[in-house]
Amino acid sequence: MKIIALQEGNYIADSKKEFKLITKETTETGLKMAIQPFVVITDNDVILLDFGLGFMNDGIPFIHEMLKKNNIAPEQITKVLVSHLHKDHIEGIGYFENGNFVCNFPNAKIYIQEREIDFALEQINNPSYVFEILNELKKLPNVELMHNDSGQITDEIFYEVSAGHTKYHQVFWIKADDEIVFYGADDLPQKIYWSMHVAYKTDFDGKRAMESRKKWEQQAKDENWKVLFYHDMKMPVLEFFEQKMEYVS
């Protein structure tokens, strides 16, 4: 499998969940994080993991720019796996033009937990969500609404509702060519979360997320996973080898 981190940049998120790109001139304080969706290419699919931010440059969606920089046409994406619906993971799904919603990936199948949509729509006045986008999701003809707590999408793609960061947050495994790629999204957003066993109050169920991280770490070592970190500013991918040594890419 080929793994590509679509590195949109490092940002500061303030209390209103507004994201500002970190530059040499940045003086604001807040939570610092990378924003980096991933592409995983197998023999059967070109898979996008989450959508990133919804910025536009001269009318071109940011996520399209990131793909093209990595020699991938947006039309090549066959499946999009959505972990949860916070704005920094879903905004890149599309934009509004003359009052109409335009999907950035109309030809790809987009997999979203329906219960996560319903949960998100209940979070009135929560700045982590963009409700205009949430209201469009069930209308899109290429959205596959998921209902089970775990299962398979294809022979290569597996999912599980981890329910830590949000109530129906889900994680994914892609298994092909004797390799296992794991995407923990915001239940495992950075490598440092494996050295800090903390139940974060900002999570829907911080204790559950913490316990899941412990379980995944052991499995990653035992099964030689390649682990993707959506918000890690230094290490987008961590690979475990049979010798239990770690390799950073």
Side-chain angles (χ1 to χ4, degrees):
M1 286 185 283
K2 184 175 182 180
I3 300 170
I4 302 170
L6 304 176
Q7 297 174 317
E8 296 190 351
N10 296 328
Y11 293 82
I12 288 180
D14 62 21
S15 59
K16 296 181 180 179
K17 301 301 179 182
E18 296 295 333
F19 290 83
K20 183 171 183 179
L21 187 67
I22 297 174
T23 66
K24 293 180 180 179
E25 289 74 35
T26 299
T27 58
E28 291 87 353
T29 59
L31 185 62
K32 296 180 180 180
M33 67 183 75
I35 303 292
Q36 49 201 3
F38 291 90
V39 171
V40 177
I41 302 173
T42 73
D43 290 340
N44 299 305
D45 282 299
V46 181
I47 303 162
L48 178 64
L49 292 155
D50 282 338
F51 287 105
L53 292 165
F55 298 141
M56 304 278 284
N57 291 323
D58 297 324
I60 300 174
F62 197 15
I63 187 68
H64 284 188
E65 284 192 354
M66 293 300 102
L67 287 167
K68 290 175 181 178
K69 284 182 179 179
N70 288 279
N71 300 311
I72 301 172
E75 296 79 15
Q76 290 179 268
I77 301 297
T78 57
K79 291 180 174 61
V80 186
L81 311 180
V82 179
S83 63
H84 65 296
L85 300 176
H86 284 167
K87 63 170 64 173
D88 53 319
H89 290 256
I90 194 65
E91 267 191 333
I93 191 173
Y95 58 96
F96 287 90
E97 186 174 69
N98 299 323
N100 297 313
F101 186 73
V102 179
C103 181
N104 286 333
F105 299 93
N107 299 321
K109 287 189 176 181
I110 301 171
Y111 294 85
I112 305 175
Q113 279 285 335
E114 183 172 24
R115 293 171 295 173
E116 177 72 6
I117 298 175
D118 296 336
F119 169 76
L121 286 169
E122 294 172 354
Q123 310 308 304
I124 305 300
N125 299 322
N126 186 330
S128 293
Y129 296 98
V130 180
F131 290 92
E132 293 83 0
I133 289 178
L134 296 181
N135 285 320
E136 297 296 323
L137 296 180
K138 291 187 183 182
K139 302 176 187 177
L140 296 177
N142 57 323
V143 164
E144 296 284 335
L145 295 173
M146 307 165 71
H147 306 97
N148 296 326
D149 289 338
S150 63
Q152 288 181 239
I153 293 171
T154 69
D155 290 341
E156 297 178 335
I157 303 171
F158 300 76
Y159 69 92
E160 179 181 295
V161 174
S162 53
H165 186 61
T166 64
K167 191 171 183 178
Y168 297 102
H169 181 287
Q170 60 185 352
V171 299
F172 299 94
W173 293 262
I174 303 169
K175 303 179 181 181
D177 303 323
D178 297 319
E179 297 177 302
I180 300 175
V181 171
F182 174 68
Y183 178 56
D186 278 8
D187 276 356
L188 183 59
Q190 299 173 333
K191 181 179 180 294
I192 196 171
Y193 277 56
W194 267 340
S195 58
M196 299 171 59
H197 297 302
V198 176
Y200 292 95
K201 293 182 179 179
T202 52
D203 287 337
F204 174 79
D205 189 338
K207 184 177 180 181
R208 180 166 178 167
M210 179 183 67
E211 293 303 321
S212 292
R213 287 191 287 270
K214 293 178 183 178
K215 176 184 67 176
W216 295 330
E217 182 176 21
Q218 188 59 53
Q219 288 179 312
K221 293 176 179 177
D222 292 342
E223 300 176 7
N224 308 316
W225 292 359
K226 295 179 180 179
V227 182
L228 312 182
F229 299 113
Y230 190 87
H231 288 306
D232 202 302
M233 295 192 293
K234 297 180 179 179
M235 185 183 300
V237 182
L238 173 65
E239 183 173 352
F240 290 90
F241 287 102
E242 290 184 9
Q243 297 89 347
K244 304 299 186 289
M245 295 178 63
E246 299 175 359
Y247 172 75
V248 179
S249 60

